[in-house]
Amino acid sequence: MATLTESLLGSDLLTLAALDARGIGALYETAAATKAEPERFRESLRGRSIILLFEKPSLRTRVTFEVGPARMGAHAFYFDHSKERIGAREAVKDYGRNLERWVDCVVARVFSHGVLEDLAASAAIPVVNALSDRFHPCQALADYFTLAERLGGEDGPSAGLDRLAGFRLAYIGDGNNVCASLMHGAAILGVEMTVIVPEGYEPDPGVLEECRGLARRGGVRRGAIRVTHDPAEVRGAQAVYTDTWVSMGDEAEKVARMAAFAAYRVDQRLMSLAGRAAVFMHCLPAHRGAEVTDGVIDSKRSVVYDQAENRMHVQNALLLHVLGSA
Ligand code: CP
Ligand code: NVA
């Protein structure tokens, strides 16, 4: 943990590509500790202030970034940007240069990923991506932690993390921000990820290329990312993951999207094609009857509320590491 604290201290987390397997392992070790023994961390962030800048709605991200820091003694406060985008009143650069004088960390949810990059470039404090149009790294961190917990069982998530190499994850739906961060994680951890999307909704080829680089750089021997249009390719998956067909910011395309994705719904039939023990995953919010049926999301295979809970534990760990209190 000590070495990672040094390497993540003061770091931004704009995409998961900023981490390597060792870094994720250290974060998960801390996350497991904050989850198992929260009282040990009650004073860890005493006196720290964290601003939450949100241009888009949120339940999970907002609540976990408010409750989590409060449990570690920090003051996290919400700054509503739903009516005025960051950069509208004053330059993003000036925004960053002001914030660094008052707070210890910025957590931001934005329409344009570029705004996060500009904030990070102008402020000397850590900037954490709480979802952008391109990536959702905190979500993917929680998702792989959830799988690592399950695979690790009594041995714990750290052991489970090693067992993720070669794990078969099928992502079905839109090649969006959540998909992109899951791809980064897959490349770093050696997960075999099948991305199943309708034509025209493929993930960004630049992200695929970046994933190849991440796998090479990490010397990852197992796992590969495949993109297909065929829902039947869910066959053999150990986890089936989906997300909304209409992300925040895509509302104008709703009618076309509902038609394009109709054959990509996760229902009992699709789950029966996956492995018998396959779990169902979703970042939430879910649109019941659209991308997933009630029967699947409410079934024993569904781990969606574990994912939601783990958002808080991995984010707490992240804050402890970037603020140097792990
Ligand atoms: N999964 C997720 O980020 O949920 P919210 O949009 O509610 O924060
Ligand atoms: N892809 C979704 C995720 C919501 C948590 C969106 O961007 O709206």
Side-chain angles (χ1 to χ4, degrees):
M1 263 199 294
T3 16
L4 186 85
T5 305
E6 275 156 36
S7 66
L8 267 193
L9 179 62
S11 300
D12 303 310
L13 183 76
L14 303 193
T15 86
L16 219 53
L19 296 173
D20 58 14
R22 225 174 111 247
I24 293 177
L27 279 180
Y28 284 6
E29 213 179 294
T30 306
T34 62
K35 186 170 181 175
E37 303 170 90
E39 62 288 348
R40 253 183 62 201
F41 298 87
R42 213 179 293 145
E43 298 292 324
S44 299
L45 294 182
R46 171 75 53 214
R48 305 301 187 95
S49 297
I50 300 160
I51 191 166
L52 313 181
L53 306 173
F54 277 48
E55 294 183 334
K56 299 174 176 177
S58 169
L59 171 68
R60 282 145 290 273
T61 311
R62 177 178 174 176
V63 173
T64 52
F65 267 120
E66 289 202 37
V67 173
R71 291 193 183 165
M72 300 187 293
H75 170 223
F77 61 103
Y78 184 76
F79 200 86
D80 183 11
H81 261 290
S82 61
K83 291 180 189 70
E84 184 187 71
R85 300 233 180 141
I86 300 166
R89 186 159 177 260
E90 58 190 304
V92 176
K93 196 192 280 185
D94 287 325
Y95 215 85
R97 289 177 184 168
N98 276 266
L99 291 176
E100 69 179 9
R101 302 291 178 110
W102 307 313
V103 301
D104 300 286
C105 180
V106 174
V107 172
R109 169 167 285 200
V110 297
F111 279 94
S112 163
H113 191 75
V115 168
L116 284 178
E117 292 174 332
D118 291 347
L119 263 179
S122 57
I125 50 175
V127 174
V128 175
N129 181 358
L131 180 144
S132 70
D133 54 337
R134 301 194 59 209
F135 302 105
H136 199 0
C138 294
Q139 181 67 51
L141 273 179
D143 299 336
Y144 286 118
F145 183 79
T146 304
L147 291 172
E149 268 185 327
R150 296 182 68 84
L151 292 172
E154 293 199 343
D155 300 331
S158 296
L161 190 60
D162 296 335
R163 295 173 199 161
L164 270 169
F167 184 88
R168 296 183 303 280
L169 169 68
Y171 175 92
I172 180 162
D174 188 15
N176 61 15
N177 45 7
V178 169
C179 177
S181 288
L182 288 169
M183 285 165 61
H184 278 155
I188 296 166
L189 301 171
V191 169
E192 235 166 74
M193 182 171 174
T194 305
V195 179
I196 307 167
V197 290
E199 246 178 286
Y201 296 93
E202 293 86 359
D204 176 357
V207 173
L208 263 171
E209 194 46 48
E210 199 178 9
C211 287
R212 284 186 206 110
L214 283 171
R216 263 197 311 274
R217 201 175 72 203
V220 176
R221 276 189 216 97
R222 302 189 67 183
I225 300 170
R226 276 184 333 116
V227 181
T228 162
H229 299 307
D230 182 5
E233 298 254 0
V234 80
R235 200 165 278 117
Q238 293 167 277
V240 178
Y241 197 124
T242 192
D243 182 16
T244 181
W245 295 339
V246 187
S247 283
M248 293 178 275
D250 292 338
E251 291 81 359
E253 300 169 18
K254 184 170 178 180
V255 174
R257 283 176 168 266
M258 296 303 277
F261 286 98
Y264 294 78
R265 174 172 299 119
V266 181
D267 55 16
Q268 310 272 24
R269 194 194 51 82
L270 191 102
M271 284 305 288
S272 65
L273 281 180
R276 248 202 227 154
V279 293
F280 170 71
M281 304 182 79
H282 194 309
C283 58
L284 305 179
H287 303 80
R288 289 165 174 261
E291 73 270 10
V292 62
T293 58
D294 285 330
V296 170
I297 196 169
D298 292 331
S299 72
K300 286 207 183 84
R301 290 170 159 221
S302 171
V303 297
V304 299
Y305 307 113
D306 293 336
Q307 294 171 255
E309 178 188 340
N310 285 331
R311 290 291 304 277
M312 184 168 79
H313 305 301
V314 297
Q315 289 163 195
N316 283 358
L318 179 69
L319 292 172
L320 288 166
H321 282 272
V322 300
L323 295 174
S325 304

